[in-house]
Amino acid sequence: MAEPGSGPGGARDEEPGKEGAAPAPKKRRLAGGERYVPPPRKLSTGVSFGAEHFAETSYYFEGGLRKVRPYYFDFRTYCKGRWVGRSLLHVFGTEFRAQPLDFYRAAARAGRLRLNEEPVRDLHIVLKNNDFLRNTVHRHEPPVTAQPLRILAEDEEVVVVDKPSSLPVHPCGRFRHNTVIFILGKEHGLTELHTLHRLDRMTSGVLMFAKTAAVSKRIDEQVRERQLEKEYVCRVVGEFPEHEVVCEEPILVVSYKVGVCRVDPKGKPCKTIFQRLSYNGKTSVVKCLPRTGRTHQIRVHLQYLGHPIVNDPIYNMEAWGPDRGKGGKIGKTDEELLKALVEEHRSKQSLEILGIAEEDLNSGGENKDCGDSGDCTKSAEADPINGNSCPAEDVKDPERDTKDPERDTKDPERDTKDPERDTKDPERDTKDPERGAKDPERDAKDPQRDEKDPERNVKDPERNDTAACPPNSDINQETLEKDKELGSCGNQDGQTGQKGWEEKDPLCVECRMSRRDPSPKELVMFLHALRYKGAGFEYCSDMPEWARDDWEE
C-alpha cells in the first residue's frame, strides 16, 4: 500500500544535485506537551492497482456465484477540516455511528486504529490538521455472478470485454475484488487500464478500456464530438409499440445512495430512441439508442413509457404504485418512495441486489447537518436513506457511459491530466493531501459540499473515511475484547489483505452474521450493451440468450 506523500505548503522533492532545490522545511518547535504531526508528503501520481492489491485475497465459486474470501483492509484518510479540534471519540460518535463507541474502543485496544502510523491508545485525543488516520477492518464483499468475464478484443490500444450483469466496473462501496478492474488484473494480467466508459453494475455487455493515455485522449475527443454510438437491447413488460418511440423526458436523481432516479421537470435533459425487435405475447425485446447518458436513462424512460425492464430490481417494483411509475405517476414523496423500495427489498431479503446492505442504511456517514461544531442532534438512523455513506455503483452518472459533452468540455483533459483517476489506488485523500490537509477549512468554508456535488463520493468510488467499519449490530463487549492478538490482525506494519478468511475475526460482526446469497437468476437484469461504435472501430457482443426469439420465460 502506498504511503502518504509530500504535502501542501512544504517544499517539493527535487532531483538529486539539481540546482535551486528548495531546502527541507524546518521542524517547528513544539510547546510543552504539544503533539507533533508530520507534514504530508505528496505521492507519485498515476499509480494504479497492482500485484500487492490483487494479492489481498482470492476468489472461490459456489452455487453459480463468484465469491471473495474475507480479508483485512485499511481505510485511510487525512483529518478533515471539520474534525480539527475535535476528539477522535467525538468524530466516531457523531459521524460514524454504524457501530457503538464500544466497538471503536475495542478496535483501538486491538491496534486497528492508527494515527500518523502510531496505534491510538486514547480516543479522547484531539485531532489536528494533517493528522493521518488508518482504520483496519475485516472486509466482506457481496457475491456476483460466476459467469465469466469474456474478452471480445484486445490489441496494443484497447481491451474490450463482455461484462456480466451484477459486476461493478471498478471498486466502489462494498465491492473491490468483485469488479471488472480487479478480475482483469488478477485473472488476465491486464493492469493500468484507462476507463473509457462505464456500465451500471446490473447492466451487461460491451465495455472498453484504453491501454494508454494517448488512446484514452483520442477516444475522449470522439466523445466530445458526438462521434460515438451505443446500442442496447432489453426485454420489457408488455407489448411495446411497433413504431419508433422517442422519449425526451428529463431525469432527476432521487438518491445517490440507493441509486434511484425518476422523470422530473427539474431533471437533466436527455433523449432515448426505442425500436421494438420482437414480442412473444407477454414481453417485448427492444433496441435502445441513448443520445445522452444520464443516470439509469434507459431504465427510467422505459418505466415512464409503461414498459419497465422485466426484472429491473428498482424500476419494476410495487413501491412505485399500481402503475409502476408509468407517466411519472408515483403518488409518493421521494422519501416515501425510497423507504417503500427499501422495505420491499428488505422483506425479500434482497437488499444486496441493490448493492447495499442493512449497515449501509443504518450508518450516518458524514452527516451534512453536523457542520463544524459537531453538534449533531439529528440521528443518523432517523434518516437512513439520505445519509452520505458510499453510494451504490449504479448511480455513477452514465455520462460515464456516453460522456455527456458538457461534462468533458468543461475540462477537456480531465482524463488525460490524470489518466488513472478512475482506476488508481482508491485512497484519493491520501494521494492528494491538498484535498483536505492543505486547507483545514475546506469543509467549514462550504459545509454543503456534498449537497452541491453529490457525486463527490461516486467520482472516486472508494473515497472512504477511516471509520468505515463492519456492519451495524448489537455488539457484546466480552466478544469485542476476546482474543486481542487475533484482533490485531498482524497489521502493525500497515500491510493489508492478510488471510482473514482462515478464521473468524473477533471484532467483525459480519463474521457472525448469516446472509442469504442471491440466486444467479436474481443477479441478471435484462439490459445489455450490444454495440459500441466510433471512428475507426466497432465492437459487438453476441445477443444475450434472453433476447433471442426462441427464449421462453
Side-chain angles (χ1 to χ4, degrees):
M1 225 177 227
E3 295 297 325
S6 107
R12 293 185 178 179
D13 293 337
E14 298 286 346
E15 295 177 9
K18 186 173 181 179
E19 293 184 5
K26 294 182 179 180
K27 184 175 178 180
R28 183 174 63 84
R29 181 172 295 177
L30 300 177
E34 185 178 358
R35 181 169 60 84
Y36 171 69
V37 177
R41 296 175 306 154
K42 184 169 291 185
L43 299 174
S44 59
T45 58
V47 179
S48 63
F49 296 112
E52 63 176 306
H53 305 107
F54 302 145
E56 289 168 349
T57 184
S58 59
Y59 302 115
Y60 66 102
F61 296 86
E62 182 178 70
L65 302 175
R66 176 190 289 266
K67 296 185 176 183
V68 173
R69 291 184 170 89
Y71 56 101
Y72 290 107
F73 181 78
D74 285 349
F75 285 98
R76 311 182 305 170
T77 185
Y78 278 102
C79 177
K80 298 182 182 298
R82 65 179 179 275
W83 298 352
V84 173
R86 296 165 58 184
S87 72
L88 192 54
L89 187 68
H90 190 210
V91 171
F92 284 143
T94 56
E95 300 201 23
F96 302 104
R97 289 169 285 179
Q99 300 291 352
L101 290 177
D102 280 345
F103 174 87
Y104 298 112
R105 292 188 181 101
R109 286 193 293 272
R112 299 198 184 183
L113 299 178
R114 301 174 73 84
L115 183 65
N116 303 319
E117 303 303 348
E118 295 294 329
V120 173
R121 303 301 182 192
D122 182 5
L123 291 180
H124 290 91
I125 191 168
V126 175
L127 295 174
K128 300 173 68 173
N129 186 34
N130 288 345
D131 269 336
F132 179 68
L133 300 164
R134 184 192 297 267
N135 178 36
T136 302
V137 302
H138 194 235
R139 191 163 178 173
H140 295 243
E141 295 192 27
V144 298
T145 178
Q147 292 179 3
L149 180 65
R150 198 161 59 93
I151 295 181
L152 299 175
E154 181 185 0
D155 56 28
E156 66 278 3
E157 292 191 337
V158 299
V159 176
V160 186
V161 303
D162 188 355
K163 184 186 88 68
S165 183
S166 80
L167 195 62
V169 175
H170 48 51
C172 64
R174 302 178 67 215
F175 296 91
R176 179 172 170 85
H177 289 263
N178 261 347
T179 60
V180 174
I181 286 291
F182 266 68
I183 293 174
L184 287 176
K186 290 163 74 86
E187 297 184 351
H188 299 274
L190 295 168
T191 60
E192 299 186 20
L193 300 176
H194 302 249
T195 306
L196 294 174
H197 65 109
R198 299 176 183 83
L199 295 175
D200 288 342
R201 184 175 61 87
M202 293 299 290
T203 303
S204 59
V206 177
L207 180 64
M208 288 183 63
F209 298 92
K211 286 189 173 181
T212 67
V215 173
S216 177
K217 182 178 180 180
R218 187 180 77 230
I219 296 179
D220 281 344
E221 290 171 352
Q222 294 186 33
V223 172
R224 290 193 294 276
E225 297 297 325
R226 292 182 179 256
Q227 296 175 348
L228 296 184
E229 299 177 15
K230 292 193 72 176
E231 177 182 328
Y232 291 76
V233 64
C234 62
R235 184 173 286 277
V236 304
V237 173
E239 183 177 5
F240 198 84
E242 288 188 275
H243 59 83
E244 181 179 274
V245 175
V246 179
C247 186
E248 298 184 87
E249 297 296 329
I251 292 177
L252 179 72
V253 177
V254 174
S255 169
Y256 288 92
K257 184 167 189 173
V258 180
V260 179
C261 305
R262 62 176 172 80
V263 165
D264 189 280
K266 300 189 293 292
K268 292 183 179 181
C270 48
K271 178 180 180 180
T272 315
I273 300 171
F274 298 102
Q275 180 64 60
R276 193 179 90 184
L277 299 179
S278 65
Y279 173 60
N280 66 3
K282 293 182 179 180
T283 59
S284 305
V285 175
V286 178
K287 179 171 70 174
C288 316
L289 303 173
R291 298 309 188 206
T292 51
R294 306 303 183 192
T295 304
H296 295 180
Q297 176 177 318
I298 292 173
R299 298 162 66 183
V300 173
H301 275 175
L302 286 168
Q303 181 198 47
Y304 182 85
L305 294 172
H307 299 279
I309 292 173
V310 169
N311 54 356
D312 193 316
I314 295 178
Y315 301 104
N316 190 20
M317 302 292 286
E318 295 177 1
W320 294 89
D323 295 325
R324 304 281 171 121
K326 179 179 180 180
K329 298 177 182 178
I330 303 172
K332 294 182 175 74
T333 65
D334 287 348
E335 291 74 17
E336 290 170 342
L337 171 63
L338 291 171
K339 289 179 181 178
L341 277 170
V342 168
E343 285 303 322
E344 189 169 349
H345 275 285
R346 185 180 278 141
S347 67
K348 299 176 181 178
Q349 296 185 318
S350 58
L351 278 176
E352 290 202 357
I353 295 174
L354 299 180
I356 59 177
E358 199 70 46
E359 59 271 20
D360 300 322
L361 299 173
N362 291 332
S363 63
E366 292 176 22
N367 196 315
K368 61 191 176 188
D369 294 321
C370 292
D372 291 309
S373 66
D375 182 20
C376 295
T377 56
K378 183 177 179 180
S379 165
E381 287 73 26
D383 186 12
I385 302 298
N386 295 313
N388 194 33
S389 67
C390 194
E393 158 76 8
D394 285 356
V395 295
K396 287 194 221 51
D397 198 346
E399 280 144 43
R400 311 167 306 161
D401 278 9
T402 57
K403 292 274 182 93
D404 188 358
E406 293 181 7
R407 180 171 178 259
D408 286 297
T409 52
K410 291 176 184 175
D411 183 1
E413 297 182 337
R414 63 190 291 274
D415 284 313
T416 54
K417 286 177 183 175
D418 183 6
E420 298 298 333
R421 67 191 292 272
D422 290 310
T423 57
K424 65 173 66 171
D425 191 15
E427 287 82 17
R428 245 175 107 222
D429 282 331
T430 322
K431 292 192 169 181
D432 186 8
E434 285 95 336
R435 297 183 70 248
K438 184 175 183 179
D439 184 3
E441 301 300 321
R442 179 165 162 259
D443 291 293
K445 288 176 182 175
D446 188 359
Q448 294 183 321
R449 297 170 66 234
D450 288 320
E451 289 185 54
K452 291 179 179 178
D453 184 6
E455 294 205 64
R456 286 177 63 240
N457 292 319
V458 179
K459 291 171 184 172
D460 184 1
E462 280 212 322
R463 186 181 163 277
N464 287 292
D465 296 312
T466 191
C469 279
N472 187 24
S473 178
D474 294 330
I475 297 181
N476 183 288
Q477 183 63 25
E478 181 180 348
T479 305
L480 287 175
E481 294 179 347
K482 185 178 69 174
D483 199 355
K484 292 180 183 177
E485 287 186 12
L486 177 61
S488 68
C489 41
N491 203 46
Q492 303 308 312
D493 60 354
Q495 296 298 312
T496 56
Q498 300 180 32
K499 297 183 179 180
W501 66 85
E502 291 185 345
E503 49 190 320
K504 291 189 176 181
D505 181 273
L507 284 119
C508 179
V509 180
E510 189 92 7
C511 283
R512 300 193 297 275
M513 294 180 66
S514 177
R515 296 187 187 276
R516 180 188 74 87
D517 280 340
S519 68
K521 181 179 178 180
E522 289 177 297
L523 294 179
V524 175
M525 184 176 71
F526 296 162
L527 176 61
H528 182 84
L530 189 64
R531 183 173 64 97
Y532 198 70
K533 180 180 180 181
F537 68 85
E538 180 175 358
Y539 298 104
C540 299
S541 73
D542 295 333
M543 188 73 80
E545 182 179 350
W546 49 259
R548 296 172 183 167
D549 292 340
D550 58 352
W551 182 78
E552 295 183 2
E553 299 192 40

